[in-house]
């Protein structure tokens, strides 16, 4: 039972610097924190779309939002527009807000479903403020978190911003390549890392933020990996940044292609683009051509291929090592959840900080919670591929007809049969399940009888009232472009 007084963070990408910022802010006065990174190796260079939990993370750290947005050239994000996912030329927007008005016995979708039957309901998304604001290109901060939002940010600038932030709380940075990791023979705990320069750095606890290399958690501790590529078969991505050709929209675009999908992430000064694809159906050269044929502005760099294997590290916390970021596992960026999982691991670690020494009960609880988080997000991502009407390529046929995890199969069946959706404990997504299931074309066969308690006119009035309230709020918002210019000036 060694007290944890010295921590080494290995790696200085988004994960490393987010860990350094949070640990520094909370514990910088009590413990010694050192971050080791290698400029020569660099970072993965992608990861620019986030979800609303980042606003919460920044509040915990007391990060000034205007300053952060200015320095990272960030824009606001209200959701993700999915194009060609259900079928070619179809689109819907998965927004961060809540759709309509639930009643305690039944969710809004039941009332909407009856409204559709009576011919008095609009599109499901018409009843969500964030979705309507996104489509109208509007944004403003509203009182009481009245508009849910996240950010698109420049990942390189974000790491630099957090580096400066962390230094204020005493975090030390060491430049150099880690060459070896030494473990204690008796218990397998990590005792030190040695750099190419010969410098040996000892600590009581190590945070592995070395990206896909997973130098500590896997190469040194052989923790193991659960492969999920049979459910999420995309294994490659090509990324390229381009010049902006128009004002940034407040949403990410996700455009499905024949064997994968493309992202467009608008920042203040450029656009992040990429194609996620399955190498079984598309080779790298064809993928590169497909991406370059479907971008708007001039490329600012050579396109880069990135390989990955979808899955999770079997233990996020093993002995005296915690994996954060890509070293802990990978889910493709379809719902921008990786940075959220980074935050989750950091916050959970701070709540379970092993001050008096590493205890197996802490490790077990940490890993149980982390597995719960990622497995629910995994199911949500698989839903987009599986609940599709696309039958135009081998890739889509295979996704549509594949066996999915039992947890997801049950959720889809329950929705199709009854329109019911239940949030499982503290899982990340809530209203999102309805939005994406309906967006992908699933329509419940029945609705809750409480929706029948409203007559046609009453239901029409109820739906119109929600719409009118949204119209009223939309009229108070600014254009996203104007708001950014003012907020970040
Ligand atoms: P990296 O950025 O790879 O950093 C690893 C660090 O370790 C670097 O500093 C490197 O120099 C250092 N390092 C490695 N080896 C050594 C060594 N031997 N010695 C010293 N230092 C070393 N997430 C989202 O939330 N939203 C998105 O939109 C999104 N899009 C993505 C798109 C793609 C194609 C991919 C692959 C990922 C995406 N992600 C996204 C995930 C996101 O990019 C990562 O979660 C995030 O960037 C964190 O990466 P990291 O810090 O773990 O790894």
């Amino acid at each position: 039972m060694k007290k944890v007084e010295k921590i080494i963070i290995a790696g200085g990408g988004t994960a490393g610097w987010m860990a350094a910022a949070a640990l520094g802010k909370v514990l910088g006065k009590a413990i010694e924190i050192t971050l080791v990174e290698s400029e020569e190796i660099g970072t993965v260079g992608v990861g620019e779309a986030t979800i609303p939990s980042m606003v919460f993370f920044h509040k915990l750290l007391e990060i000034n939002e205007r300053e952060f947005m200015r320095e990272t050239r960030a824009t606001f994000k209200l959701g993700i527009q999915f194009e060609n996912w259900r079928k070619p030329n179809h689109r819907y927007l998965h927004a961060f807000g809540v759709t309509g008005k639930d009643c305690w016995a039944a969710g809004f979708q039941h009332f909407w479903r009856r409204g559709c039957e009576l011919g008095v309901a609009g599109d499901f998304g018409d009843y969500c403020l964030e979705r309507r604001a996104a489509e109208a290109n509007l944004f403003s901060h509203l009182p009481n978190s009245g508009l849910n939002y996240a950010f698109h940010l420049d990942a390189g600038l974000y790491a630099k911003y957090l580096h400066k932030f962390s230094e204020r709380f005493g975090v030390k940075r060491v430049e150099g390549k880690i060459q070896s990791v030494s473990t204690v023979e008796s218990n397998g705990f990590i005792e030190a890392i040695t750099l190419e320069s010969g410098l040996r750095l000892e600590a009581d606890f190590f945070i592995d933020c070395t990206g896909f290399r997973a130098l500590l958690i896997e190469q040194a501790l052989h923790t193991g990996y659960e492969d999920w590529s049979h459910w999420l078969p995309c294994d490659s991505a090509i990324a390229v940044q381009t010049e902006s050709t128009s004002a940034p929209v407040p949403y990410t675009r996700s455009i499905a292609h024949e064997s994968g999908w493309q992202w467009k992430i608008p920042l203040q000064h450029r656009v992040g683009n990429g194609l996620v694809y399955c190498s079984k159906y598309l080779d790298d050269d064809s993928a590169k051509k497909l991406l370059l044929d479907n971008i708007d502005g001039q490329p600012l760099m050579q396109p880069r291929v990135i390989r990955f294997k979808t899955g999770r590290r079997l233990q996020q916390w093993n002995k005296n090592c915690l994996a954060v970021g890509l070293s802990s596992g990978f889910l493709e960026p379809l719902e921008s959840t990786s940075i959220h999982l980074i935050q989750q691991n950091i916050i959970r670690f701070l709540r379970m900080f092993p001050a008096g020494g590493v205890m197996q009960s802490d490790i077990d609880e940490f890993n149980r919670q982390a597995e719960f988080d990622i497995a629910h997000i995994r199911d949500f991502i698989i839903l987009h591929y599986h609940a599709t009407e696309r039958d135009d390529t081998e890739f889509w046929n295979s996704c549509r007809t594949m066996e999915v995890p039992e947890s997801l199969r049950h959720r889809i069946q329950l929705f199709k049969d009854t329109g019911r959706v239940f949030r499982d404990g503290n899982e990340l997504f809530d209203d999102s399940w309805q939005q994406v299931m309906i967006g992908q074309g699933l329509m419940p066969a029945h609705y809750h009888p409480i929706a029948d308690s409203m007559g046609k006119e009453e239901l029409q009035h109820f739906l119109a009232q929600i719409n009118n309230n949204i119209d009223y709020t939309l009229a108070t918002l600014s254009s996203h472009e104007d708001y950014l210019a003012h907020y970040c000036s």
Side-chain angles (χ1 to χ4, degrees):
M1 286 292 181
K2 200 166 171 216
K3 275 180 84 174
V4 174
E5 289 168 339
K6 253 173 128 173
I7 292 193
I8 285 180
I9 299 171
T14 303
W17 283 113
M18 284 177 83
L23 261 73
K25 169 86 180 160
V26 178
L27 297 170
K29 286 193 180 131
I31 59 169
E32 196 184 310
I33 305 163
T34 306
L35 183 145
V36 182
E37 67 177 323
S38 158
E39 258 174 42
E40 193 188 319
I41 294 176
T43 66
V44 70
V46 281
E48 309 205 308
T50 66
I51 59 171
S53 57
M54 185 176 245
V55 176
F56 169 71
F57 184 73
H58 285 176
K59 280 194 177 134
L60 291 185
L61 267 60
E62 296 178 279
I63 281 178
N64 178 312
E65 189 176 273
R66 279 171 191 258
E67 181 191 86
F68 144 76
M69 290 193 71
R70 217 171 21 237
E71 302 246 341
T72 63
R73 310 305 310 273
T75 58
F76 291 103
K77 172 180 171 188
L78 295 168
I80 305 172
Q81 180 162 283
F82 288 96
E83 302 171 30
N84 308 337
W85 278 86
R86 174 175 167 187
K87 55 187 174 192
N89 301 319
H90 174 270
R91 67 183 164 86
Y92 67 96
L93 204 143
H94 167 208
F96 293 139
V98 168
T99 310
K101 235 170 137 180
D102 294 340
C103 110
W104 67 267
F108 173 72
Q109 71 271 17
H110 296 272
F111 298 89
W112 172 78
R113 169 76 179 73
R114 173 162 148 81
C116 290
E117 212 164 273
L118 295 173
V120 298
D123 199 59
F124 188 64
D126 289 354
Y127 305 96
C128 174
L129 170 64
E130 287 78 357
R131 134 100 195 251
R132 302 260 316 271
E135 288 189 336
N137 232 326
L138 300 173
F139 187 86
S140 292
H141 285 92
L142 291 181
N144 306 318
S145 308
L147 192 68
N148 293 288
Y149 65 92
F151 310 102
H152 299 123
L153 51 86
D154 181 314
L157 295 178
Y158 188 49
K160 282 192 184 134
Y161 176 74
L162 291 180
H163 176 185
K164 266 195 285 176
F165 179 91
S166 307
E167 275 179 346
R168 289 194 349 236
F169 299 98
V171 174
K172 288 196 214 103
R173 173 188 182 274
V174 173
E175 168 64 35
K177 259 195 204 173
I178 302 165
Q179 194 172 50
S180 62
V181 180
S182 335
T183 52
V184 181
E185 214 182 316
S186 58
N187 61 8
F189 276 43
I190 298 175
E191 62 180 357
I193 55 174
T194 306
L195 309 190
E196 264 184 4
S197 63
L199 180 66
R200 181 181 155 92
L201 297 166
E202 292 184 358
D204 309 312
F205 200 93
F206 295 80
I207 303 190
D208 186 346
C209 300
T210 59
F212 287 128
R213 287 176 183 81
L215 280 184
L216 286 69
I217 195 83
E218 195 56 54
Q219 292 191 34
L221 297 186
H222 312 291
T223 301
Y225 196 77
E226 184 177 351
D227 183 349
W228 286 336
S229 49
H230 49 294
W231 288 316
L232 292 166
C234 289
D235 56 5
S236 310
I238 296 197
V240 68
Q241 299 168 359
T242 55
E243 287 173 353
S244 308
T245 55
S246 53
V249 290
Y251 54 87
T252 306
R253 286 179 66 193
S254 163
I255 306 154
H257 288 291
E258 282 69 24
S259 20
W261 62 278
Q262 178 186 354
W263 77 77
K264 290 191 181 187
I265 299 177
L267 305 181
Q268 288 180 35
H269 59 312
R270 62 163 172 82
V271 177
N273 305 270
L275 184 77
V276 172
Y277 58 99
C278 179
S279 61
K280 183 173 163 198
Y281 300 104
L282 192 70
D283 62 66
D284 293 346
D285 287 341
S286 311
K288 186 171 157 190
K289 181 169 177 339
L290 180 65
L291 177 62
L292 292 178
D293 285 348
N294 285 284
I295 49 176
D296 301 316
Q298 283 303 313
L300 297 169
M301 57 186 280
Q302 282 298 320
R304 248 170 3 101
V305 175
I306 302 165
R307 299 267 180 241
F308 53 80
K309 191 199 275 178
T310 298
R312 72 174 181 103
R313 193 73 52 208
L314 285 176
Q315 296 181 74
Q316 309 274 297
W317 181 349
N318 186 6
K319 304 185 192 292
N320 62 338
C321 176
L322 174 70
V324 179
L326 299 173
S327 65
S328 71
F330 185 68
L331 283 174
E332 60 175 84
L334 191 58
E335 284 286 352
S336 324
T337 42
S338 290
I339 295 176
H340 166 80
L341 288 168
I342 293 175
Q343 289 168 210
Q344 285 291 93
N345 268 7
I346 296 170
I347 293 172
R348 187 175 293 129
F349 181 65
L350 280 167
R351 287 188 174 142
M352 298 171 77
F353 190 79
V358 172
M359 319 244 184
Q360 193 58 41
S361 53
D362 265 346
I363 295 182
D364 293 343
E365 180 57 23
F366 188 102
N367 289 331
R368 189 190 67 77
Q369 291 184 17
E371 186 184 349
F372 176 92
D373 281 357
I374 195 169
H376 284 78
I377 296 174
R378 174 204 65 196
D379 280 7
F380 187 57
I381 294 176
I382 299 172
L383 170 72
H384 299 65
Y385 283 99
H386 182 61
T388 179
E389 292 166 18
R390 285 191 73 146
D391 57 4
D392 51 319
T393 64
E394 235 185 290
F395 172 79
W396 288 107
N397 278 333
S398 141
C399 294
R400 202 189 63 253
T401 55
M402 71 182 163
E403 289 283 318
V404 295
E406 174 51 26
S407 43
L408 176 61
R409 192 207 58 75
H410 166 70
R411 223 187 253 261
I412 292 176
Q413 197 58 48
L414 182 68
F415 184 73
K416 285 208 295 205
D417 290 345
T418 67
R420 291 190 241 284
V421 179
F422 292 100
R423 188 176 192 181
D424 188 4
N426 256 343
E427 72 168 312
L428 174 63
F429 292 107
D430 189 2
D431 196 80
S432 303
W433 284 102
Q434 289 92 293
Q435 288 193 38
V436 172
M437 288 202 268
I438 291 170
Q440 292 289 134
L442 302 182
M443 192 63 156
H446 300 100
Y447 54 82
H448 194 286
I450 199 166
D452 284 328
S453 61
M454 281 187 188
K456 182 176 174 183
E457 269 180 27
E458 196 187 346
L459 183 61
Q460 194 167 12
H461 179 75
F462 168 69
L463 294 171
Q465 192 74 46
I466 297 173
N467 244 319
N468 293 343
N469 288 342
I470 293 177
D471 286 341
Y472 177 80
T473 309
L474 290 179
T476 67
L477 305 180
S478 306
S479 91
H480 180 229
E481 189 183 13
D482 289 351
Y483 196 81
L484 270 179
H486 167 74
Y487 194 64
C488 300
S489 65

